[in-house]
Amino acid sequence: MPSFPSSAVDATVEARVLELHARFTDPTADVAALLCDDHPADAVALTVVDATGAAEVLTYGELAERSTRCARALAGLGVGRGDRVATLMDKSTDLVVLIVAIWRLGGVYVPLFTAFAPQAIAMRLEGSGCQLIVVDPGQRAKLVPGPDLAEDLDRRILVTGVEAPEHDGDLLLADVAAAASAEPLPRVAVGGDGPLVHMFTSGTTGKPKGVVHPVAYLAGWQGYLEFGLAVTGESTYWCAADPGWAYGLYSAVAAPLSAGLSTVLVSGGFSVEGTWRVLAEQRVTDFAAAPTVYRGLRSSSVPVPSGLALQRLSSAGEPLTPEVNEWAASALGLQVHDHFGQTEVGMVLANCHHPDLARPLKPGSMGRAIPGWELTVLAEDTDEPAGPGVLGRVAVDVPASPAMTFTEYQTPGQADSKFSPDRRRYLTGDSSRADADGDFFFASRDDDVIIMAGYRIGPFEIESVLVQHPAVVECCVVAAPDEVRGEVIEAHVVLREGTPGTPELAVELQQLVKTRYAAHAYPRTVHFHDSLPKTPSGKLQRYLLRSRPGGVA
């Protein structure tokens, strides 16, 4: 699967990949210049929509002025190159201003998801060595020392807003900014190898690991924006993912800013009514969201507004099950393009929207390698490529992937198992099949593959059948031990409100899998739950279900 087949179109794409690579790996790379100052001052950088639907627009010139003022405030508190600064803030113009201000000083940004509880916050603050955190007033209570968050007398807390802080020792960000020196700030060029973001994996298969992204990591994300999402200056682009996680931070904020484009942010959490309103009122043409958002729109009784301007729909964060596109085709006249990536490497596979790269969608496919990446499926027991259609391990060809920046987790040695002995292959930890065209079809995380009587079964394929039942909202399939077969399939299902989980429905779901997927691969037990365990970013935690008792079986 060569990254760039020989054609005029692909030669142009390759030239663009190399151009982005050179831009973000430059030893003199200045992040504030790349993401803000080099763009036309009157161009719109972002539009932030609040819970009432009111919109605040910020130009690149205003972003430069406000982030410079904020950077002076941070510098006055001692923030400099390499220092970690965290935020616990809702999506807002203030959040983006602060992120750019941190990078303007050569600091390293530590994103915190606003749904985190104190224990998750503590792990990230301690793991990153962060000594300054900026927090919205409504989130401040989470930073009160207690059993899950140890007191740290050296950590400074800045509070946003205009009200005086309620806690002793806190500083109001507005006051610090007003008192900051007006002296010009020196430019800080951290270079392509310089640290940009210190974040942690989502913890779907275990304890989150620390990852430090270099500035060069941005090259892959701008490539994804251009090739995978096909966002242009004519687009009205909204990525609904939360910037407390990698996909939201880079796809909704950093990549559009690096491209000099405009992005829409919406404060608060997801609601069906609010999502439809923003899509309609902002005339959104390009929408990206997790599959759970599309499922929420699909399962709601709220009607689809008329006159939407949508042209492209994208999904990432977890596998896209087929009922989403059945609904999208009927309700919106569009199909959702599934994309795949990781915190460590960024986005690597996509059903690209770019007109020169777009192909007819194949149900269940995550697409092909995005330009700048080369991926393959390795055999289960060797580092040789698996044949077309054979289930194996998804791997990045490191030397052939100029967008690849990941080499190690924060803790040395943790990434050894992620690479082949010669470090040529990076193993994503996912099982997949690839067809002869180079399209990848997700099966499972490696640890989630079910081996039953010698058959290797990817749970996603079974889940894709189960969610086709009209009573099923979401489901998760895991392995359960069996004396005869080694492992058997167990399904955990959430039903639509008002639908009882009965033995008869369990049998109906088993039969559905037998008839639509395979007779041997039906779930031997079906458990009904009110909800499934997920990470704060919404990804299923299968490992918790392996020992979780269910309802009706």
Side-chain angles (χ1 to χ4, degrees), residues 268-294:
F270 167 75
S271 75
V272 172
E273 295 84 354
T275 299
W276 285 131
R277 184 185 66 218
V278 173
L279 290 172
E281 293 181 356
Q282 294 298 319
R283 305 292 295 162
V284 173
T285 59
D286 296 64
F287 182 56
T292 51
V293 169
Y294 292 106

Side-chain angles (χ1 to χ4, degrees), residues 372-374 395-407 419 423-427:
W373 296 94
E374 183 167 336
V396 174
D397 188 326
V398 176
S401 302
M404 177 71 170
T405 61
F406 179 74
T407 59
F419 288 89
R423 305 285 288 191
R424 179 188 170 187
R425 308 279 194 185
Y426 167 80
L427 305 173

Side-chain angles (χ1 to χ4, degrees), residues 450 452 457 462 466 477-478 485 488-491 506-507 509-515 517-526:
I450 302 166
M452 185 179 71
I457 302 168
I462 301 169
L466 290 171
V477 167
V478 298
R485 300 175 182 85
V488 292
I489 298 164
E490 184 175 79
V507 171
L509 294 174
Q510 291 171 326
Q511 188 62 32
L512 184 68
V513 175
K514 289 180 182 179
T515 56
Y517 178 61
H520 72 283
Y522 72 94
R524 264 52 179 186
T525 55
V526 178

Side-chain angles (χ1 to χ4, degrees), residues 181-357:
S181 168
E183 291 295 317
L185 284 172
R187 306 298 308 198
V188 180
V190 299
D193 292 334
L196 180 77
V197 171
H198 193 150
M199 65 174 10
F200 293 78
T201 59
S202 57
T204 53
T205 58
K207 185 178 180 180
K209 300 181 181 68
V211 182
V212 179
H213 295 149
V215 173
Y217 183 72
L218 288 168
W221 280 96
Q222 187 169 335
Y224 168 65
L225 187 82
E226 295 181 10
F227 301 125
L229 298 172
V231 177
T232 71
E234 303 302 315
S235 304
T236 300
Y237 168 60
W238 176 25
C239 172
D242 194 281
W245 298 99
Y247 188 76
L249 173 61
Y250 290 101
S251 188
V253 179
L257 294 184
S258 70
L261 299 176
S262 178
T263 184
V264 174
L265 298 179
V266 179
S267 59
F270 167 75
S271 75
V272 172
E273 295 84 354
T275 299
W276 285 131
R277 184 185 66 218
V278 173
L279 290 172
E281 293 181 356
Q282 294 298 319
R283 305 292 295 162
V284 173
T285 59
D286 296 64
F287 182 56
T292 51
V293 169
Y294 292 106
R295 294 187 193 115
L297 297 175
R298 168 183 173 267
S299 61
S300 171
S301 59
V302 177
V304 178
S306 60
L308 293 174
L310 288 170
Q311 298 176 17
R312 286 167 287 275
L313 303 174
S314 302
S315 173
E318 58 179 296
L320 184 71
T321 42
E323 86 285 358
V324 170
N325 266 331
E326 293 173 7
W327 164 80
S330 172
L332 302 173
L334 296 169
Q335 288 192 302
V336 183
H337 289 219
D338 197 13
H339 301 162
F340 168 83
Q342 289 187 327
T343 300
E344 292 90 334
V345 296
M347 302 304 292
V348 296
L349 294 170
N351 289 287
C352 291
H353 285 287
H354 191 287
D356 292 335
L357 302 171

Side-chain angles (χ1 to χ4, degrees), residues 434-491:
D435 64 16
D437 296 327
D439 287 293
F440 285 68
F441 296 80
F442 180 82
S444 70
R445 296 287 302 173
D446 278 351
D447 292 343
D448 297 325
V449 171
I450 302 166
I451 304 176
M452 185 179 71
Y455 292 101
R456 297 182 61 83
I457 302 168
F460 175 67
E461 296 169 295
I462 301 169
E463 292 163 359
S464 295
V465 173
L466 290 171
V467 295
Q468 294 175 36
H469 193 285
V472 175
V473 172
E474 62 178 345
C475 66
C476 181
V477 167
V478 298
D482 182 82
E483 290 184 3
V484 176
R485 300 175 182 85
E487 292 180 331
V488 292
I489 298 164
E490 184 175 79

